[in-house]
Amino acid sequence: MPEHYDEKDLQRALSQDRNAEVELNDRHESTDGESLAYVATERDVEKLGPGSEERKVLRRLTTTTSTAESSSDDADIKEEAVPKMPWHHRINPLKRRKAPPVPEQRTVSREYGASFLSLMTFQWMNPVMTVGYLRPLELGDVWLVNPDRSSDALTPKLVASFKRRVAAGERYPLIFAMHETFKAEFWFGGVCNLASSIFQVMSPFATRYLIQFANEAYNAQRQGTPAPNIGKGVGIVIGITFMQVCQSFGTNQFIYHGMMVGGQARAVLINAVFDKAMKISGRAKAGGRAIGNEQTSNGIDVEVLKVEKKNLFERMVSKRGGRPKNTHNVGEGVAGDGTGWSNGKIVNLMSVDTYRVDQASGMFHMIWTSPVLIIITLIVLCINIGYSALSGYALLVIGMPLLTKSIKSLFVRRGKINKITDQRVSLTQEILSAVRFVKFFGWEGSFLERLKELRRREIRAIQVLLAIRNAINAVSMALPTFASMLAFITYSLTDHTLDPARIFSSLALFNSLRMPLNLLPLVIGQVTDAYASLGRIQEFLLSEEQKEEVVWDGSMLAAIEMQNASFTWERNSSHDKEQVGNFQTEEQIKDAKNAHKREKKAEKISKKHGKTNSISDDSSSENAQLEPFKLHDLNFAIGRGELLAVIGTVGSGKSSLLAALAGDMRKTSGKVKMGTNRAFCPQYAWIQNSTLKENILFGKPYKSKWYNQVVDACALRPDLDMLPAGDQTEIGERGITVSGGQKQRLNIARAIYFDADIILMDDPLSAVDAHVGRHIMDEAICGIMKDKCRILATHQLHVLNRCDRIIWMNDGCIESIDTFDNLMSTNEAFQQLMATTAQEEAVEENEKPDDQDEVEDEKKTMKRTKKRAAGVLMQQEERAVRSISWGVYGAYIKASGSILTGPLILIFLVLANCANIATSLWLSYWTSNRFSLPSGAYIGIYAGLGVLQALLMYAFATMLSNGGTNASKVMLQRAMTRVLRAPMSFFDTTPLGRITNRFSKDIDSMDNSLTDAIRMYLLTLTMIISVFALIIAFFPFFGIALGPLLLIFLFAASYYRASAREMKRHESVLRSSVFARFSEAISGTASIRAYGMQDYFAGRIRDSIDTMDSAYFLTFANQRWLAVRLDGIGNLLVFTTGILVVTSRFNVSPSIAGLVLSYILAIVQIIQFTVRQLAEVENNMNATERLHYYGTQLDEEAPAYLKKVPDSWPQSGEIVFENVQMRYRAGLPLVLQGLDFKVNGGERIGIVGRTGAGKSSIMSALFRLTELSGGSIKIDDIDIATVGLQDLRSRLAIIPQDPTLFRGTIRSNLDPFNEHSDLELWAALRKANLIGDEQEASQGLDANGKNTGRIHLDSTVEEEGLNFSLGQRQLMALARALVRDSRIIVCDEATSSVDFETDQKIQKTMASGFKGKTLLCIAHRLKTIIQYDRICVMDAGKIAELDEPIKLYERGGIFRSMCDRSGIRRDDFFAEE
């Protein structure tokens, strides 16, 4: 097993029946908003109990559906009210019944309290099956989870048992805690399996006596002696049928209870993982551990563990897969391999590892019942054909371990493939989450090439893997055939006559081994996987928990006291050498391998000569751990009603100080005391994917008066008036659908509504406009919160004079802490700092009433635009309700490479089946010596047919899997290209999780499950048809019985499929919501902990798991419902065949009777399997259908290339806007209304205006992210509408508002496609102020190889660049634009999160670096643009003022009032740049 956490091993290849959302996998972002893909109706809401969690979710979705939409829906419903029924429905009496209405309220599962007989036959499922047959199932039809199986009932049991066992020092506490929780149901399934195994051997053995009876009768007829009594024959037939019925019940109960234990175990483990994720310490998350004798706790207070701990895991998971060996020096304070528990990894535990445990428990008991079955079969065979059976068994004994060994080699290959898959999914996710940015830079083509390259490697590896697996399958399918051949040949050569009774009952016995032999390696694989997964989950559950660093003391006078407190962030977790984020081409991979070999050689040589290798020292220092940021010796006390500001430059430790107070940094020394509860407002607002109101309430009860006060204080009222459904409007995942300013205000509103007495605010005013900032300062921070303790980290220096005291941070220490007046009078550095930001006192008096008017005006204008039909933002996912269309199958076959693929596969399939039947027929001819040939000839032909059958089987399977993987490759490329070429409106209305789901889980289904399902379905179906054909050829009367049974069979299958399909879809949607909630809560752990809301979120997770399980458990029950009924039909077929053998005993050869009986017994098990496989094929084709939709149905942007444009275009950079009109989507109002202005080449223009004035819309128009509704834009006299998008976007540069960084290094972010030299990149970093002038390309290493600078070209960039502060990321975006070196640069509020000093440096850089180039700059801070050539003031999509800054100032108008408000005087226009 590859020792790699993020693998999603063999399970991908298994039944999609219960497939988890493995794609994500590894990836927490991927799981998001599919919860929105719910077609909820008003009825859905009503039938849920009042106050239930699902009711809230659905209420949210229904209230936001637009009235316009609903009215059109009503019209549709009226039209569809009397659809014409197809003829086969009209003759079906069951279809003519009236469909029952959707229940008002969901009821508890009927399993709870069902009778014994009902439980055995799954009759309690009937009501759901009937409803599902008459109409598509709605959520209200799905019963609530059985109370005995709910998370609330089971989780406390498991957790208590686990803690008790850990305390007792057991080696495998988790496994045995699970055993204790589920033992009754678990062992009931085991006993059922054992019973059914014994019957499985005994019924083929009993056929021996039936054939003997037929043989005696046949010979008696020939010789004229008295025949045996018919009653004996009928008795044997009834006995065989009875054994078959018992076996059927046993198997169904075993599978049902096994799957239920799996589903429940998964639910309980997800709960346990979530609870732990809320408590795990930052150090454990980063892969660190305590050094020395520091006291830590893993939540289980015991001393015993100290001795046991190493033993516990090292031995448990060393054999297979578990955690990688510890390659780090333990003294460094590193735990395990040092990769820690990142959010992605925790989500992976929840999605992949718990799913593996679920999968393994379904068939777990076969691990021990299969060997028992094989031994019993051997004994019976020895009774039947003596020691000849041993030769056949010897083949199985030799063959099975070899097969198991070769299956293990598949694991290793799968591990490697998973790394490529993870890279592809990660890259896809990053591209999609930054799609606006990718479009701005015109990088779609380059990223598609990267994906294509990864996909090519992935598909090649998958095809090799499948070819090997097909060979293994062909051999394992043929093993029983070869074993029986060997036994019969030995039997014949040892001078035995071939007696049909012995031979055919033995053949049936060998056939009965086929199932356990095929499943055993699979089950062993599943169980070992689950074992490794449990090892990982157990390691996680035993990791260190966050210590409560704060001493709470309600009697304190102060609100917060710090005494000599020092804090640290954690080490960076180690990176996997084959890091997912770093894309490499095959050449680069080869080069890296060769370099590694050379290094090793050099090392060996240097060791020989006794020298140390100085080169490797140097290179290793590059990967040296960067010292984590620390806060030192903090001493201060803050009063209960005090307002304290925290200031300092970028990276000085402002956010760290707030994080320390919020409990997010680890205290290394000193004391922290708090006198009351706290609320935290992080710089990066954590917004949930729910309604705006729920985001503010954050689990607190709703108090109308307080809520309205908070909304007004945070200036959210105008936004509520503008949003389609007011505060019931749904916010997209991670706040994607609201602006940066709105996010920040929501963040503040949540903190205030929480009504804590200490409020920590990390730069909440950076993302809002000046007047809104002032409103929040007046009404919220100094208004309704005036009696609370408020700590405000800020770059807005003009608010400092309103604060009681100021903490000035510098490099993790407090530079000074004093009142504003004292600092102004005594501290020179502070005076200089304040001189850069003009004081506001002079203008504040005049400006107050003016400002009020402005907020009022804004309210009025918004009132007017308010409440057009409340439109739901996220589009419903197109959800197929009926079966897959033939068009999709057609497209799939076409994509597989050629139209001939389909027919060729079918030809091989038919030939393989013919060979199978021919082999057995030949055996019957041999036993009756039909052709009077010598033994050698019979043996030769028999063996030849067996080999031919295996070869044909392999050819069929390989052609199918190659065709399938080719199709998924072609369809993915088509879909990905189409998605990246889709207009922005598609991404605005589609949750990211839904798109990633298609490119991870759906592709996974197509690569690994679909061809398997098709192969099994076609094989079993043709096998059934050929066997029935064989029986009818010899027993024509069988056809009469087959007719009605076939109709019943088809009816049962369609009855099942109708409800199974809908149940599966409900389960998928509900599962998405569990994934979305889980990963969302994990990403917001810091906020949840700071507010102390862990229990509330754990409760939400529990509810959503139970809601998912309510559908998940019913999918198992409806499979068993079908299985019991199809087994019934199969057993009737056995009975019919038995009776026909008895009645035709005089005129049909006993060898033919034996052949038919051995086949019919094998067929019974296959019948239900075939129907399940058909449902399986449909489920997996669903993935193809979704991908096909993306590849063919999405809208596209304009072409990437149109006419040829000169390489030097644009030369001067002149831009002319002529009557430009634009709206974001059809049906929305114009956001630009007739813009007319000209930007001269090389001119610098500042664009200002309120939120929503249309500033950013100018960017969208210029880059053609949104096409114009009227007018034109020309660059250097070329209309941009006539230029291809690729040509246009690649000639412009943008510094966007939210700086997007990709996972990798700083180099790969500045220059992702290696088009520039390192010198150019260093120069850009220097110009952007990210590194000092003195830091040369020594990559920031001092003489000793220590990392001095925090930034160099090979610095790692984590996902979304979260290991850099927002200010640093904005500087990197600037450096990226400098590297691009375009004639036209657009800058969109790019310096909102840096301090004033850095902002001034950036402005200098822009002045020098972009000299002579056209610059359009949208700015919050007027000060940064007052020395530009011209200022354009936007208002409601029109240009209100446009002129040189000083002229506008003197003219008096909007710009003048904005200057007054920002404290800008006339002299500032003439200050030195």
Side-chain angles (χ1 to χ4, degrees):
M1 261 315 278
E3 295 182 343
H4 180 61
Y5 276 98
D6 295 345
E7 76 218 23
K8 301 177 192 60
D9 276 349
L10 174 78
Q11 260 18 41
R12 295 163 173 278
L14 300 180
S15 157
Q16 202 73 11
D17 230 31
R18 309 151 60 206
N19 207 339
E21 212 85 16
V22 170
E23 121 78 112
L24 186 226
N25 234 270
D26 188 12
R27 315 292 123 18
H28 46 298
E29 303 97 326
S30 83
T31 53
D32 348 14
E34 268 230 5
S35 47
L36 305 172
Y38 217 90
V39 188
T41 63
E42 202 49 57
R43 288 180 311 192
D44 274 339
V45 182
E46 292 316 318
K47 60 208 174 207
L48 301 173
S52 80
E53 191 60 42
E54 309 96 283
R55 181 186 176 104
K56 286 180 199 155
V57 176
L58 289 187
R59 165 67 64 205
R60 210 167 74 219
L61 290 166
T62 47
T63 45
T64 47
T65 16
S66 73
T67 47
E69 247 181 353
S70 59
S71 60
S72 68
D73 285 353
D74 290 346
D76 291 347
I77 290 164
K78 276 173 196 150
E79 281 175 36
E80 286 177 21
V82 207
K84 191 160 186 277
M85 283 172 94
W87 65 269
H88 56 278
H89 284 187
R90 286 204 296 276
I91 60 168
N92 179 349
L94 284 178
K95 276 282 184 193
R96 287 156 67 180
R97 295 207 325 238
K98 191 171 175 291
V102 182
E104 291 296 306
Q105 237 177 342
R106 290 178 65 186
T107 52
V108 169
S109 171
R110 294 281 180 98
E111 183 192 24
Y112 187 60
S115 68
F116 175 75
L117 197 65
S118 174
L119 289 172
M120 288 301 287
T121 57
F122 296 91
Q123 190 60 25
W124 56 271
M125 273 299 289
N126 252 24
V128 167
M129 306 299 282
T130 310
V131 172
Y133 187 62
L134 294 174
R135 63 167 168 74
L137 287 174
E138 299 293 335
L139 185 63
D141 298 310
V142 179
W143 297 320
L144 294 170
V145 78
N146 181 340
D148 297 339
R149 303 185 187 283
S150 70
S151 301
D152 282 337
L154 298 169
T155 307
K157 249 184 177 172
L158 179 99
V159 173
S161 172
F162 177 67
K163 286 190 172 172
R164 201 170 59 245
R165 287 165 189 281
V166 172
E170 288 191 12
R171 266 188 69 189
Y172 305 128
L174 185 58
I175 291 176
F176 286 106
M178 284 173 61
H179 178 256
E180 188 179 329
T181 312
F182 302 115
K183 60 187 174 200
E185 186 162 16
F186 179 74
W187 284 112
F188 177 71
V191 170
C192 287
N193 188 19
L194 184 64
S196 86
S197 298
I198 292 168
F199 283 123
Q200 195 176 334
V201 178
M202 287 308 154
S203 49
F205 184 59
T207 57
R208 170 183 169 179
Y209 297 100
L210 185 59
I211 299 167
Q212 220 166 322
F213 166 77
N215 201 9
E216 285 167 14
Y218 188 74
N219 291 337
Q221 167 88 15
R222 296 281 173 277
Q223 293 155 15
T225 53
N229 185 351
I230 192 167
K232 180 183 172 187
V234 173
I236 296 171
V237 171
I238 290 171
I240 291 174
T241 310
F242 173 73
M243 284 194 279
Q244 284 284 358
V245 170
C246 292
Q247 186 209 334
S248 151
F249 278 134
T251 305
N252 286 318
Q253 290 300 322
F254 147 64
I255 293 177
Y256 177 68
H257 290 291
M259 285 177 161
M260 290 304 280
V261 167
Q264 292 167 121
R266 181 185 188 190
V268 171
L269 288 173
I270 292 177
N271 277 315
V273 167
F274 183 79
D275 289 347
K276 183 69 177 192
M278 291 290 115
K279 294 177 195 156
I280 187 171
S281 71
R283 177 162 49 196
K285 263 192 108 155
R289 63 188 191 87
I291 298 176
N293 52 7
E294 186 187 332
Q295 285 294 307
T296 63
S297 161
N298 57 11
I300 301 157
D301 303 314
V302 278
E303 293 295 302
V304 192
L305 260 180
K306 286 184 180 160
V307 189
E308 287 289 326
K309 195 147 186 190
K310 165 157 189 339
N311 218 1
L312 198 70
F313 292 116
E314 298 307 306
R315 290 177 50 196
M316 173 167 175
V317 288
S318 60
K319 291 196 187 80
R320 174 193 172 82
R323 59 176 204 187
K325 294 183 186 74
N326 185 353
T327 50
H328 291 263
N329 173 7
V330 177
E332 292 174 353
V334 174
D337 62 345
T339 52
W341 295 102
S342 64
N343 287 352
K345 225 156 160 190
I346 295 174
V347 170
N348 216 27
L349 282 182
M350 182 274 298
S351 58
V352 180
D353 289 315
T354 60
Y355 170 63
R356 291 210 185 129
V357 174
D358 176 1
Q359 280 276 290
S361 73
M363 299 278 186
F364 175 83
H365 291 291
M366 290 193 67
I367 284 257
W368 62 275
T369 56
S370 291
V372 169
L373 171 69
I374 289 168
I375 290 164
I376 296 174
T377 310
L378 175 62
I379 294 166
V380 174
L381 276 169
C382 287
I383 294 170
N384 241 357
I385 53 172
Y387 54 83
S388 306
L390 295 173
S391 60
Y393 247 65
L395 182 67
L396 294 180
V397 170
I398 297 164
M400 284 318 291
L402 289 176
L403 280 180
T404 311
K405 191 105 186 111
S406 50
I407 285 177
K408 276 197 174 150
S409 76
L410 293 185
F411 281 122
V412 180
R413 283 180 179 276
R414 173 57 76 194
K416 287 178 182 162
I417 292 172
N418 287 338
K419 285 186 179 170
I420 307 178
T421 306
D422 288 350
Q423 281 193 4
R424 174 178 61 77
V425 172
S426 269
L427 184 60
T428 308
Q429 234 148 14
E430 283 202 280
I431 296 170
L432 290 175
S433 55
V435 70
R436 179 180 296 273
F437 181 81
V438 171
K439 284 182 180 297
F440 272 139
F441 272 76
W443 281 347
E444 301 99 322
S446 316
F447 274 124
L448 274 170
E449 274 311 305
R450 274 193 190 185
L451 277 174
K452 204 173 188 173
E453 160 79 1
L454 278 173
R455 185 65 177 150
R456 217 187 64 245
R457 287 191 342 229
E458 184 185 14
I459 284 291
R460 205 163 53 207
I462 287 177
Q463 287 183 338
V464 172
L465 177 103
L466 290 179
I468 296 171
R469 208 181 60 195
N470 289 332
I472 292 172
N473 273 332
V475 172
S476 69
M477 289 286 276
L479 256 186
T481 315
F482 286 131
S484 56
M485 272 185 192
L486 201 56
F488 298 151
I489 290 168
T490 314
Y491 190 67
S492 143
L493 293 177
T494 48
D495 299 329
H496 289 96
T497 51
L498 296 187
D499 168 22
R502 288 172 188 276
I503 291 298
F504 284 104
S505 67
S506 301
L507 181 65
L509 282 166
F510 274 116
N511 276 341
S512 74
L513 285 178
R514 188 166 264 150
M515 261 328 220
L517 286 179
N518 280 349
L519 286 173
L520 194 59
L522 199 76
V523 174
I524 292 171
Q526 284 181 346
V527 171
T528 42
D529 267 359
Y531 182 61
S533 289
L534 281 171
R536 276 201 285 284
I537 293 171
Q538 179 173 310
E539 184 177 3
F540 178 66
L541 294 180
L542 288 176
S543 55
E544 180 192 345
E545 290 192 2
Q546 187 95 341
K547 266 203 307 224
E548 182 55 270
E549 310 277 16
V550 179
V551 179
W552 299 96
D553 178 4
S555 60
M556 275 168 53
L557 282 174
I560 299 173
E561 257 180 48
M562 287 234 182
Q563 297 164 10
N564 294 325
S566 297
F567 295 88
T568 177
W569 284 115
E570 301 301 341
R571 62 190 283 283
N572 280 338
S573 53
S574 316
H575 279 280
D576 189 340
K577 290 289 175 286
E578 302 175 41
Q579 186 51 35
V580 168
N582 306 334
F583 171 81
Q584 292 177 305
T585 60
E586 287 187 328
E587 285 70 34
Q588 286 169 322
I589 292 173
K590 277 180 193 155
D591 292 347
K593 275 185 184 164
N594 293 337
H596 185 62
K597 277 180 192 163
R598 283 197 299 276
E599 244 175 63
K600 277 205 163 164
K601 251 188 195 169
E603 219 171 276
K604 274 184 189 165
I605 293 166
S606 64
K607 270 186 189 163
K608 260 188 197 167
H609 300 299
K611 291 176 193 167
T612 55
N613 190 354
S614 59
I615 303 166
S616 67
D617 285 355
D618 221 35
S619 61
S620 69
S621 62
E622 203 172 297
N623 298 329
Q625 276 289 335
L626 285 176
E627 191 65 18
F629 188 76
K630 293 182 166 65
L631 296 174
H632 306 284
D633 308 320
L634 306 178
N635 276 300
F636 57 83
I638 307 173
R640 289 195 175 237
E642 198 173 356
L643 170 56
L644 186 97
V646 183
I647 61 169
T649 54
V650 169
S652 62
K654 301 182 297 299
S655 296
S656 297
L657 175 61
L658 269 78
L661 289 169
D664 220 25
M665 273 181 95
R666 177 159 53 86
K667 178 164 68 72
T668 51
S669 64
K671 265 193 173 173
V672 185
K673 293 171 90 177
M674 287 194 183
T676 174
N677 59 342
R678 66 185 167 207
F680 179 41
C681 201
Q683 187 175 15
Y684 231 55
W686 177 63
I687 304 293
Q688 296 166 265
N689 173 210
S690 61
T691 63
L692 186 135
K693 182 174 181 177
E694 280 175 15
N695 265 295
I696 296 175
L697 297 185
F698 205 56
K700 283 275 182 190
Y702 175 63
K703 295 179 192 148
S704 169
K705 189 179 169 196
W706 176 233
Y707 175 78
N708 284 313
Q709 268 179 301
V710 171
V711 166
D712 289 329
C714 294
L716 279 166
R717 186 68 62 196
D719 300 281
L720 293 190
D721 293 341
M722 195 170 60
L723 287 168
D727 64 3
Q728 289 301 320
T729 304
E730 183 175 4
I731 298 180
E733 50 201 325
R734 292 176 313 183
I736 195 166
T737 54
V738 288
S739 72
Q742 286 169 325
K743 256 191 242 185
Q744 220 28 303
R745 298 206 300 278
L746 265 180
N747 204 3
I748 302 167
R750 174 191 294 168
I752 303 174
Y753 187 83
F754 199 78
D755 210 13
D757 291 328
I758 299 174
I759 297 183
L760 311 168
M761 291 171 282
D762 191 356
D763 205 8
L765 304 176
S766 63
V768 297
D769 291 350
H771 67 281
V772 179
R774 176 154 308 100
H775 176 88
I776 290 174
M777 197 68 203
D778 295 341
E779 301 294 323
I781 298 174
C782 299
I784 57 177
M785 290 201 281
K786 63 178 181 294
D787 301 328
K788 309 199 177 229
C789 167
R790 297 142 293 162
I791 301 173
L792 173 71
T794 184
H795 287 305
Q796 320 273 326
L797 303 183
H798 59 76
V799 303
L800 297 186
N801 58 345
R802 306 183 58 177
C803 301
D804 299 316
R805 280 190 298 160
I806 294 162
I807 289 185
W808 187 355
M809 296 297 295
N810 187 14
D811 199 24
C813 301
I814 294 181
E815 183 92 355
S816 56
I817 171 164
D818 213 332
T819 63
F820 180 78
D821 298 334
N822 287 355
L823 284 172
M824 277 306 277
S825 55
T826 59
N827 191 318
E828 216 171 286
F830 187 74
Q831 290 163 12
Q832 285 172 357
L833 186 70
M834 290 311 291
T836 61
T837 168
Q839 283 315 310
E840 297 190 20
E841 276 95 48
V843 291
E844 206 158 85
E845 296 312 307
N846 321 335
E847 166 254 306
K848 266 282 157 48
D850 191 38
D851 185 39
Q852 286 315 107
D853 291 351
E854 187 167 314
V855 175
E856 283 306 306
D857 287 351
E858 199 166 300
K859 283 189 189 173
K860 279 178 197 150
T861 56
M862 287 179 174
K863 274 265 161 55
R864 271 177 253 132
T865 62
K866 184 206 166 185
K867 308 273 186 198
R868 293 179 313 283
V872 62
L873 166 85
M874 293 302 187
Q875 296 297 313
Q876 290 298 349
E877 178 162 18
E878 63 324 317
R879 176 188 126 194
V881 181
R882 303 226 149 61
S883 36
I884 313 290
S885 72
W886 288 107
V888 176
Y889 286 104
Y892 183 67
I893 292 170
K894 266 190 205 144
S896 68
S898 132
I899 287 289
L900 294 175
T901 315
L904 269 174
I905 289 171
L906 288 176
I907 289 167
F908 275 108
L909 172 68
V910 171
L911 288 175
N913 257 299
C914 292
N916 178 18
I917 293 287
T919 313
S920 304
L921 261 177
W922 189 254
L923 181 64
S924 83
Y925 293 151
W926 180 14
T927 54
S928 57
N929 194 9
R930 178 137 178 209
F931 302 116
S932 312
L933 297 170
S935 274
Y938 279 120
I939 289 172
I941 292 173
Y942 186 44
L945 282 169
V947 172
L948 181 67
Q949 179 189 340
L951 290 175
L952 286 167
M953 199 72 107
Y954 177 72
F956 156 69
T958 304
M959 283 197 69
L960 182 63
S961 62
N962 278 353
T965 42
N966 285 338
S968 81
K969 178 172 145 189
V970 170
M971 290 177 97
L972 171 66
Q973 189 63 19
R974 205 182 285 153
M976 195 70 216
T977 309
R978 191 86 177 214
V979 165
L980 279 185
R981 302 270 311 121
M984 272 318 295
S985 56
F986 167 73
F987 296 97
D988 292 339
T989 58
T990 310
L992 187 66
R994 187 185 301 165
I995 308 175
T996 354
N997 203 10
R998 302 211 176 183
F999 291 140
S1000 54
K1001 179 167 174 285
D1002 288 347
I1003 284 296
D1004 185 50
S1005 300
M1006 285 180 69
D1007 284 350
N1008 300 303
S1009 312
L1010 178 58
T1011 50
D1012 257 16
I1014 294 175
R1015 178 177 63 92
M1016 296 302 283
Y1017 174 63
L1018 291 176
L1019 269 182
T1020 49
L1021 184 70
T1022 46
M1023 195 184 273
I1024 290 174
I1025 292 169
S1026 51
V1027 168
F1028 283 163
L1030 180 78
I1031 297 176
I1032 290 173
F1034 292 107
F1035 298 99
F1037 287 115
F1038 183 77
I1040 299 168
L1042 188 62
L1045 287 177
L1046 193 65
L1047 283 175
I1048 296 172
F1049 170 82
L1050 291 172
F1051 167 69
S1054 71
Y1055 208 73
Y1056 159 77
R1057 275 174 50 212
S1059 56
R1061 202 169 41 225
E1062 292 308 305
M1063 194 68 83
K1064 184 82 188 126
R1065 283 176 179 149
H1066 281 296
E1067 190 261 325
S1068 300
V1069 171
L1070 294 167
R1071 182 177 58 224
S1072 295
S1073 111
V1074 173
F1075 277 66
R1077 272 191 191 171
F1078 188 96
S1079 47
E1080 182 177 75
I1082 294 289
S1083 63
T1085 309
S1087 295
I1088 294 172
R1089 274 186 194 165
Y1091 284 98
M1093 296 298 287
Q1094 294 95 322
D1095 292 347
Y1096 168 72
F1097 280 91
R1100 288 186 66 206
I1101 291 285
R1102 255 181 223 163
D1103 290 344
S1104 52
I1105 289 174
D1106 280 346
T1107 311
M1108 167 184 83
D1109 281 346
S1110 63
Y1112 189 44
F1113 293 165
L1114 289 184
T1115 56
F1116 303 150
N1118 71 10
Q1119 284 172 17
R1120 294 302 111 210
W1121 178 92
L1122 173 78
V1124 167
R1125 280 143 191 76
L1126 291 187
D1127 281 351
I1129 295 172
N1131 294 335
L1132 281 174
L1133 288 176
V1134 170
F1135 182 72
T1136 312
T1137 312
I1139 294 294
L1140 284 171
V1141 167
V1142 172
T1143 51
S1144 331
R1145 60 192 184 282
F1146 298 126
N1147 39 19
V1148 172
S1149 153
S1151 58
I1152 292 293
L1155 172 70
V1156 165
L1157 277 172
S1158 66
Y1159 263 125
I1160 198 75
L1161 286 177
I1163 282 296
V1164 175
Q1165 310 208 336
I1166 292 176
I1167 289 178
Q1168 53 152 310
F1169 190 65
T1170 308
V1171 175
R1172 285 224 343 260
Q1173 282 306 317
L1174 174 59
E1176 202 55 37
V1177 171
E1178 279 203 326
N1179 281 341
N1180 287 313
M1181 277 308 284
N1182 199 9
T1184 310
E1185 181 178 37
R1186 287 148 57 103
L1187 207 68
H1188 178 62
Y1189 175 82
Y1190 269 16
T1192 54
Q1193 306 289 310
L1194 293 185
D1195 296 337
E1196 285 189 280
E1197 286 184 310
Y1201 299 99
L1202 278 171
K1203 66 177 187 187
K1204 187 95 178 84
V1205 287
D1207 289 342
S1208 58
W1209 179 83
Q1211 269 161 325
S1212 70
E1214 176 190 83
I1215 310 173
V1216 180
F1217 291 81
E1218 287 179 1
N1219 189 26
V1220 170
Q1221 296 178 332
M1222 187 188 98
R1223 55 169 56 90
Y1224 279 111
R1225 293 197 296 282
L1228 294 182
L1230 286 171
V1231 285
L1232 294 179
Q1233 309 185 13
L1235 286 199
D1236 270 307
F1237 75 105
K1238 176 180 177 182
V1239 181
N1240 300 314
E1243 192 176 17
R1244 294 189 303 160
I1245 291 212
I1247 302 174
V1248 294
R1250 289 191 203 125
T1251 304
K1255 304 187 295 283
S1256 294
S1257 304
I1258 295 180
M1259 314 290 122
S1260 291
L1262 190 59
F1263 281 85
R1264 287 179 63 197
L1265 281 194
T1266 311
E1267 296 292 352
L1268 302 184
S1269 308
S1272 69
I1273 302 175
K1274 288 183 178 164
I1275 296 180
D1276 284 2
D1277 293 330
I1278 294 183
D1279 186 343
I1280 62 170
T1282 64
V1283 177
L1285 291 183
Q1286 182 64 31
D1287 283 329
L1288 171 69
R1289 291 170 183 168
S1290 60
R1291 311 291 172 97
L1292 309 174
I1294 185 166
I1295 308 171
Q1297 185 175 4
D1298 38 353
T1300 302
L1301 296 183
F1302 294 101
R1303 197 155 146 182
T1305 60
I1306 290 187
R1307 178 187 280 108
S1308 70
N1309 270 285
L1310 294 182
D1311 179 26
F1313 304 105
N1314 302 326
E1315 296 154 347
H1316 302 275
S1317 70
D1318 276 12
L1319 279 174
E1320 291 174 77
L1321 303 185
W1322 279 110
L1325 288 181
R1326 206 166 294 114
K1327 281 184 193 164
N1329 254 65
L1330 273 163
I1331 54 174
D1333 294 333
E1334 66 288 344
Q1335 189 179 331
E1336 274 309 318
S1338 64
Q1339 309 211 344
L1341 304 173
D1342 67 10
N1344 304 322
K1346 283 269 163 50
N1347 229 321
T1348 51
R1350 280 174 71 188
I1351 287 178
H1352 54 88
L1353 285 181
D1354 292 313
S1355 298
T1356 310
V1357 178
E1358 306 265 324
E1359 231 159 327
E1360 294 178 31
L1362 291 178
N1363 54 335
F1364 294 99
S1365 75
L1366 202 53
Q1368 287 170 318
R1369 278 178 273 165
Q1370 290 189 323
L1371 296 179
M1372 278 184 218
L1374 171 66
R1376 192 186 274 156
L1378 286 163
V1379 170
R1380 188 143 207 193
D1381 199 27
S1382 301
R1383 286 295 312 162
I1384 298 175
I1385 295 102
V1386 176
C1387 173
D1388 185 0
E1389 293 175 5
T1391 56
S1392 57
S1393 293
V1394 294
D1395 56 273
F1396 208 82
E1397 194 185 338
T1398 314
D1399 197 356
Q1400 283 186 309
K1401 285 183 186 167
I1402 291 176
Q1403 293 308 323
K1404 278 187 186 154
T1405 302
M1406 287 168 69
S1408 59
F1410 300 145
K1411 205 177 184 90
K1413 301 186 172 174
T1414 308
L1415 178 64
L1416 299 181
C1417 182
I1418 295 175
H1420 268 316
R1421 295 179 180 163
L1422 288 185
K1423 197 132 202 188
T1424 57
I1425 56 164
I1426 53 174
Q1427 285 161 343
Y1428 277 26
D1429 300 325
R1430 284 191 292 165
I1431 300 284
C1432 165
V1433 183
M1434 293 293 294
D1435 188 33
K1438 299 190 178 82
I1439 295 176
E1441 299 171 2
L1442 174 65
D1443 210 334
E1444 290 170 33
I1446 189 68
K1447 288 183 181 169
L1448 287 181
Y1449 183 81
E1450 287 169 346
R1451 190 182 302 162
I1454 301 179
F1455 182 66
R1456 172 65 183 260
S1457 67
M1458 290 169 99
C1459 288
D1460 290 346
R1461 248 197 324 267
S1462 299
I1464 292 172
R1465 298 186 291 270
R1466 194 171 194 288
D1467 315 349
D1468 294 324
F1469 289 85
F1470 306 104
E1472 288 280 314
E1473 265 206 33

